[in-house]
Amino acid sequence: MGIEGNSVIDKKTVKQLFFDSSDLVVTDIDWPTGKGVLCYYSSLADGTEVNKQIDIIQQRASKKIDNWGKTAVSDVMPFSEADLVNSVCDGLSVIIFQQSKVMVTISAQSTIGRTPGEPATEQVIRGPHDGFIERTQQNITLIRQKLSRNDLVVRKFKMGKKTTTEITYLFIDSIADKEVIKLFESRLQDIQEETIMNSGEFEDYLEESIFSPFPQLLTTERPDRVVFNLMEGKIAIFVNNSPSAMIAPVSFFSFFQSPDDFNGRVVVGSFFRLLRVMSLIMAIYLPAFYIAVVGFHSEILPIELSKKVKLAINEIPYRPIFEAIILEIFIELIREASIRLPKPIGQTIGVVGGLIIGDAIVNAGLVSNLMVIVVALTAISSFVIPTVEMNMSIRILRFPFMLAAAMFGFFGMAIGTLILVIHLLTLTSLKQPYFSPFIPLDTSRILHVFLRVPYSKFHKQQKTFTFIGKKKGRKS
Amino acid sequence: MKKGLLIIIMMLLLGGCWDEAQYKDVTIVPVMGIEKDGEEIKTIFSFPTFENGMINYSTSEGKGFSTWNARYDANQRTMEALNLAHLEVLLVSDNLAKKDIYEPLDMFFRTPKNRITSYIAIIEGDMEQYFNLPEDVNTDVADFYPELLHTAVLYTFVAENTLGETAKILREESMDLSLPYMTLNEKGIPTVEGIALFSNYKFTGKTLRKEESIAANIMKDNLGKHTYLTYKWRQKESPITIEIISVHRKIKITHDKIDLNYVIDIGVDEFPKNGLYKNDMRRETENFLSDEMKRDFNKVIQKTQEAKSDIFGFGRRVHAFHSELWERGDWQETYATFPIEVDVKVRMKRTNILD
């Protein structure tokens, strides 16, 4: 279409430019320097605020102040069609002056947003109870409030030409590894996609191994978690309109840390961290172990237990692997159903699914009661893992192990473990080793994986994946 | 890529489950008995059966010219395959053990799935009686024997004899085997009577009974969790029960005799006479106990020498350090006539709360 060449910019042409959308407000406006056209989306801009700002700018213009158009919320720029479209779509209000070919943009967006409440997936008992919301600006506010230092750098990256997908990333300049930031920025430049709506979509562009079951970016909705990671030299990434921040590069063990550990006492924090490591092992291996024992290695059971096991499985009509798969699918169904349903009905599903069907399925002889115990225990331990992505990944992982155990017993499980460990060792997150601190070995940090070590002790200032200098906990 | 995937899938599907043994298709056998029946070997298996959510017990018999053959025979009349991977107790009849104990046991050591930490015991008489417990026992064979032998080991009636240990000692020239010996009492209840003495591969028919077998275990310094001995103090004036706390032994072997020197720490668990707080009373009791134990030990030595059974393993030291003595001939023959002197010193460490 093009109105730039056109000498007349009036209400009609502007309306045409926005396809005559009904929420677009276009009015003529009188101005000391001549007539102008005001346009904004009534759905994005706050009308009363716009009026106030126009008044102020008008006064400045009539007083003939230099640069009357420039205030804290407004700007003057030469008129161009692309800028007009972008600005209005961003929620700005624009006054176009036909004669002088300039336009004044006023940022007075109406804000619809939640209050920063605690994210439902990452609740803690002790610690801050705020969470990110769908507006990046507010999210950065939350972080800046917690981290008031000038070397906290916020960078924005606009994706594509037409749409306004904005990637915002933060890092602390003095701590973050320059190489990692460079790599991250080059990855951003390489993205050809025009619109990215979700952070999940963006993850695909950043990750090295997309088909790996393990997430290579840590997603969180908690500001304190982001701050904690920034302090370790990580990069935090926000995608417009998404309440979750992504943190990279991360290691496998970052997913097993909960803010609760750091707020809690040393002994308590350490206990729960060990419990989590145990639950990880259980979530992956328990059903596989049971299947292997029942199918191949029944001799390892002590005789008393062995009789109970035999009693339970003697009249089950099929192999333990089918038993396990029936139950696993059943549990996944309950889980999936209760996510989709509203809360009060979700509980009903839990009762009906868990108690009634669980009991009936054993009585009907479809599944042995021991298998119910094993599968339920596995499900519970998989939910202990504090990050949602890892928790999903671990739940998926037990299926290949179950298959391996059903076909080759302990031998199959050993081979499975071998493959899993090799995969973990070769995996990288932004080219940083995923299985650090084990490979490459850093003995000083291994303890931190399993225990919550007191802060007052000496420890190193982490610099993404290397260290600078020593950090002293307390004056002694 | 496609070809590789196909090969992997085929490998899994064709090779899958190659050594699978579904637990519901096998019968676990906790107790097994072997005896000689004429020229043949007879095996009896006791096992739980699982039907309609109930555990019952059943036995199965087989005959053949070897243990494996007899087991195979029994398999032909058992619902599910008999699996010895859970074997808790193996009973061997004395008539079979007198011939050669190793022969019927050989099959247990060859296949890796067999359990070699199960207990082994020698029984006196007919095996079948041992598998039909009288009503009084009120429990089943499959539970009874493992618990019985476990208790016997805890209270030092017998040493912990497993299949693996048995094989180890059998293969050794310088030490002889001793196994728990069971008899039936007048009510027909199986009782751990003592220790059966072996000379090389053969059961000698001679046994150590009750206190003797406890004494033998003390001499071996092979104590269970609790070791109690009761004596009649001052000609039946008062009983005294002692618990052995620890045994310190010194063995001195020269070319013409073996000197055994024991220092035994004890605690007193029963002594109605009281008065152990007095020094002279205490010394008298210590001396009395030393003499009693010395007599017991000497009796044990004498019995083992009669049986030509070196269950203490003196032969090991002789073999290692006294080659001249070792080369005198067959060690069992040498042992039978070799002078052995025992000296015991009892130290009372605890009198418990009364004194």
Side-chain angles (χ1 to χ4, degrees):
Chain A
M1 200 164 59
I3 55 170
E4 251 157 295
N6 230 334
S7 52
V8 190
I9 307 164
D10 57 6
K11 274 162 68 177
K12 204 176 141 199
T13 47
V14 173
K15 267 191 178 166
Q16 265 174 6
L17 191 60
F18 289 95
F19 302 93
D20 204 7
S21 192
S22 59
D23 63 340
L24 184 79
V25 177
V26 187
T27 48
D28 288 325
I29 189 166
D30 285 328
W31 207 259
T33 53
K35 275 195 185 259
V37 177
L38 169 70
C39 73
Y40 60 89
Y41 274 122
S42 60
S43 49
L44 288 179
D46 181 0
T48 37
E49 186 64 26
V50 172
N51 275 346
K52 266 188 218 163
Q53 293 304 328
I54 288 175
D55 271 353
I56 295 168
I57 299 166
Q58 246 172 351
Q59 274 170 26
R60 284 167 64 101
S62 53
K63 281 179 192 163
K64 299 235 161 55
I65 299 172
D66 288 341
N67 277 332
W68 50 263
K70 280 211 164 146
T71 65
V73 291
S74 62
D75 200 4
V76 184
M77 58 174 81
F79 174 81
S80 84
E81 187 193 322
D83 282 344
L84 174 67
V85 172
N86 274 344
S87 307
V88 174
C89 286
D90 272 347
L92 303 180
S93 312
V94 182
I95 310 169
I96 307 149
F97 298 107
Q98 204 179 325
Q99 294 102 326
S100 46
K101 296 263 182 211
V102 288
M103 55 186 199
V104 176
T105 58
I106 303 163
S107 94
Q109 288 105 319
S110 67
T111 46
I112 304 172
R114 310 183 273 132
T115 45
E118 180 155 33
T121 48
E122 295 172 88
Q123 284 176 348
V124 295
I125 294 165
R126 190 177 147 188
H129 294 288
D130 51 357
F132 290 133
I133 58 168
E134 284 76 4
R135 302 192 160 270
T136 312
Q137 198 57 46
Q138 264 97 322
N139 294 345
I140 292 167
T141 313
L142 285 172
I143 292 170
R144 274 236 189 257
Q145 275 170 357
K146 289 187 164 63
L147 254 185
S148 49
R149 50 194 291 176
N150 67 334
D151 55 354
L152 170 63
V153 183
V154 180
R155 293 254 162 84
K156 275 188 184 161
F157 180 82
K158 279 208 174 182
M159 206 157 293
K161 290 194 178 66
K162 262 192 174 161
T163 51
T164 53
T165 308
E166 213 170 62
I167 309 286
T168 313
Y169 56 99
L170 293 83
F171 56 90
I172 295 179
D173 193 62
S174 58
I175 305 175
D177 205 327
K178 298 282 176 305
E179 290 292 305
V180 175
I181 291 172
K182 232 163 129 189
L183 178 78
F184 171 72
E185 279 169 348
S186 78
R187 288 251 167 102
L188 274 183
Q189 305 288 346
D190 288 348
I191 300 176
Q192 297 293 313
E193 186 61 51
E194 292 275 307
T195 3
I196 288 180
M197 295 306 290
N198 296 310
S199 54
E201 218 175 316
F202 183 64
E203 255 175 69
D204 281 4
Y205 290 101
L206 277 189
E207 284 188 345
E208 273 113 57
S209 326
I210 298 168
F211 291 104
S212 162
F214 296 102
Q216 293 134 54
L217 293 158
L218 173 67
T219 316
T220 180
E221 292 185 25
R222 297 191 60 85
D224 55 341
R225 203 173 213 166
V226 170
V227 168
F228 191 81
N229 278 291
L230 284 174
M231 291 298 293
E232 284 188 345
K234 310 279 166 67
I235 308 171
I237 308 142
F238 289 96
V239 177
N240 223 3
N241 305 320
S242 163
S244 45
M246 286 171 285
I247 294 160
V250 284
S251 76
F252 180 67
F253 301 101
S254 324
F255 292 91
F256 296 91
Q257 295 173 350
S258 156
D260 267 338
D261 301 351
F262 301 105
N263 282 322
R265 302 192 53 74
V266 170
V267 178
V268 179
S270 303
F271 171 74
F272 286 111
R273 203 169 268 192
L274 281 176
L275 191 78
R276 252 173 252 142
V277 173
M278 216 181 70
S279 79
L280 164 74
I281 294 167
M282 240 165 49
I284 299 180
Y285 289 109
L286 191 64
F289 179 78
Y290 177 76
I291 290 169
V293 166
V294 166
F296 289 83
H297 315 283
S298 52
E299 61 271 9
I300 71 158
L301 291 170
I303 187 94
E304 288 86 359
L305 183 64
S306 146
K307 275 191 234 166
K308 298 272 180 337
V309 174
K310 178 103 164 119
L311 191 63
I313 63 165
N314 214 31
E315 282 161 32
I316 303 297
Y318 29 71
R319 284 161 186 283
I321 178 77
F322 292 116
E323 233 185 305
I325 286 175
I326 287 176
L327 264 184
E328 291 284 2
I329 288 175
F330 178 56
I331 283 197
E332 293 298 309
L333 277 178
I334 295 178
R335 195 189 59 81
E336 198 63 21
S338 51
I339 292 176
R340 308 281 165 246
L341 285 173
K343 254 186 192 164
I345 310 177
Q347 283 176 355
T348 323
I349 288 285
V351 173
V352 172
L355 298 176
I356 301 175
I357 300 185
D359 189 45
I361 209 167
V362 172
N363 284 338
L366 292 178
V367 166
S368 66
N369 46 14
L370 271 168
M371 187 56 97
V372 174
I373 296 173
V374 166
V375 170
L377 206 59
T378 315
I380 293 169
S381 38
S382 71
F383 287 122
V384 170
I385 298 157
T387 36
V388 187
E389 287 81 26
M390 188 50 95
N391 169 335
M392 304 267 191
S393 309
I394 297 298
R395 278 222 307 282
I396 299 296
L397 266 182
R398 66 173 180 253
F399 289 104
F401 272 94
M402 271 155 57
L403 275 179
M407 281 192 283
F408 303 106
F410 285 162
F411 175 69
M413 282 170 73
I415 296 296
T417 313
L418 196 68
I419 295 171
L420 180 70
V421 171
I422 291 174
H423 174 69
L424 276 172
L425 293 184
T426 51
L427 204 60
T428 52
S429 164
L430 284 182
K431 295 262 182 266
Q432 299 300 316
Y434 195 61
F435 215 56
S436 156
F438 286 95
I439 305 288
L441 187 70
D442 182 349
T443 41
S444 65
R445 273 199 303 153
I446 282 185
L447 209 59
H448 291 251
V449 170
F450 299 111
L451 301 172
R452 177 241 196 259
V453 179
Y455 284 113
S456 51
K457 292 261 188 275
F458 274 113
H459 52 278
K460 295 179 191 164
Q461 167 64 57
Q462 198 177 347
K463 192 185 173 195
T464 314
F465 272 82
T466 51
F467 298 102
I468 38 165
K470 292 208 163 163
K471 214 170 154 183
K472 200 174 179 186
R474 184 197 293 148
K475 241 189 222 172
S476 51
Chain B
M1 178 66 196
K2 252 186 193 168
K3 208 172 163 189
L5 211 68
L6 203 71
I7 289 174
I8 289 173
I9 291 173
M10 270 164 61
M11 266 167 62
L12 291 179
L13 290 179
L14 294 175
C17 321
W18 53 277
D19 64 347
E20 189 186 52
Q22 282 292 334
Y23 193 29
K24 58 180 184 195
D25 300 333
V26 295
T27 287
I28 46 170
V29 180
V31 178
M32 174 186 176
I34 314 173
E35 74 173 337
K36 211 171 115 187
D37 187 32
E39 279 308 294
E40 290 198 308
I41 282 183
K42 192 170 135 195
T43 52
I44 305 183
F45 301 90
S46 169
F47 49 85
T49 56
F50 304 87
E51 217 53 58
N52 301 325
M54 296 275 289
I55 302 182
N56 290 307
Y57 291 90
S58 170
T59 54
S60 181
E61 286 182 20
K63 268 186 198 178
F65 55 86
S66 76
T67 319
W68 181 257
N69 197 241
R71 174 187 165 183
Y72 201 71
D73 186 44
N75 241 345
Q76 287 175 332
R77 26 203 109 90
T78 319
M79 198 166 77
E80 290 168 340
L82 295 166
N83 184 346
L84 294 184
H86 265 295
L87 191 67
E88 295 266 302
V89 173
L90 175 69
L91 300 176
V92 182
S93 77
D94 53 355
N95 58 15
L96 190 63
K98 273 175 190 163
K99 217 179 106 205
D100 179 352
I101 182 91
Y102 181 72
E103 215 179 274
L105 299 187
D106 183 72
M107 63 160 264
F108 291 98
F109 307 115
R110 288 207 184 257
T111 34
K113 283 221 166 189
N114 284 329
R115 188 165 176 236
I116 56 163
T117 50
S118 38
Y119 291 127
I120 173 168
I122 304 294
I123 58 127
E124 182 192 68
D126 189 15
M127 182 67 77
E128 216 152 311
Q129 281 180 298
Y130 286 82
F131 277 80
N132 292 312
L133 298 178
E135 292 260 312
D136 304 14
V137 177
N138 218 356
T139 175
D140 207 88
V141 175
D143 290 329
F144 182 75
Y145 288 107
E147 294 298 321
L148 180 72
L149 281 167
H150 186 63
T151 314
V153 169
L154 270 186
Y155 284 84
T156 329
F157 296 145
V158 294
E160 187 156 8
N161 283 91
T162 60
L163 267 175
E165 280 291 307
T166 304
K168 214 168 72 190
I169 297 172
L170 273 179
R171 297 269 166 144
E172 203 174 314
E173 288 174 11
S174 48
M175 190 170 176
D176 285 307
L177 187 65
S178 59
L179 292 177
Y181 188 67
M182 287 210 269
T183 54
L184 293 172
N185 72 358
E186 58 276 13
K187 279 184 184 164
I189 300 171
T191 316
V192 179
E193 185 59 38
I195 292 176
L197 298 175
F198 282 71
S199 188
N200 278 330
Y201 286 80
K202 287 181 181 124
F203 173 40
T204 54
K206 294 196 168 59
T207 56
L208 295 176
R209 300 281 165 124
K210 290 181 182 148
E211 274 81 12
E212 290 167 0
S213 63
I214 297 178
N217 282 324
I218 297 171
M219 287 173 77
K220 277 198 214 170
D221 193 7
N222 198 349
L223 302 180
K225 201 154 173 75
H226 313 282
T227 312
Y228 297 106
L229 282 171
T230 305
Y231 294 104
K232 289 162 192 150
W233 189 71
R234 270 195 201 154
Q235 277 85 46
K236 297 179 187 172
E237 190 180 303
S238 165
I240 178 164
T241 302
I242 56 168
E243 179 177 12
I244 311 291
I245 299 167
S246 63
V247 177
H248 311 275
R249 96 179 153 166
K250 272 205 184 99
I251 304 171
K252 204 177 155 207
I253 300 174
T254 53
H255 61 89
D256 53 1
K257 69 167 182 183
I258 297 174
D259 268 319
L260 286 175
N261 214 323
Y262 286 95
V263 176
I264 297 172
D265 292 342
I266 60 146
V268 177
D269 271 35
E270 186 188 31
F271 188 52
K273 178 83 183 154
N274 284 333
L276 285 175
Y277 57 91
K278 291 178 212 147
N279 262 341
D280 50 341
M281 182 77 162
R282 187 184 276 245
R283 214 158 297 131
E284 190 195 335
T285 316
E286 278 181 354
N287 288 338
F288 161 76
L289 289 170
S290 301
D291 291 346
E292 285 289 314
M293 287 180 106
K294 189 175 169 183
R295 208 174 53 230
D296 280 357
F297 285 10
N298 272 324
K299 210 192 288 170
V300 170
I301 294 278
Q302 192 197 333
K303 276 208 173 182
T304 56
Q305 283 185 329
E306 277 166 18
K308 296 180 183 172
S309 171
D310 176 16
I311 61 168
F312 308 105
F314 296 131
R316 284 183 175 173
R317 284 170 191 247
V318 172
H319 196 175
F321 303 115
H322 306 275
S323 60
E324 171 261 332
L325 191 57
W326 179 256
E327 279 154 13
R328 229 178 251 183
D330 185 26
W331 169 245
Q332 274 72 20
E333 295 297 333
T334 319
Y335 175 77
T337 53
F338 207 66
I340 297 173
E341 265 180 33
V342 184
D343 189 44
V344 182
K345 187 170 182 287
V346 168
R347 292 191 298 198
M348 200 180 288
K349 289 278 166 171
R350 286 183 218 146
T351 55
N352 291 338
I353 52 175
L354 262 184
D355 276 305

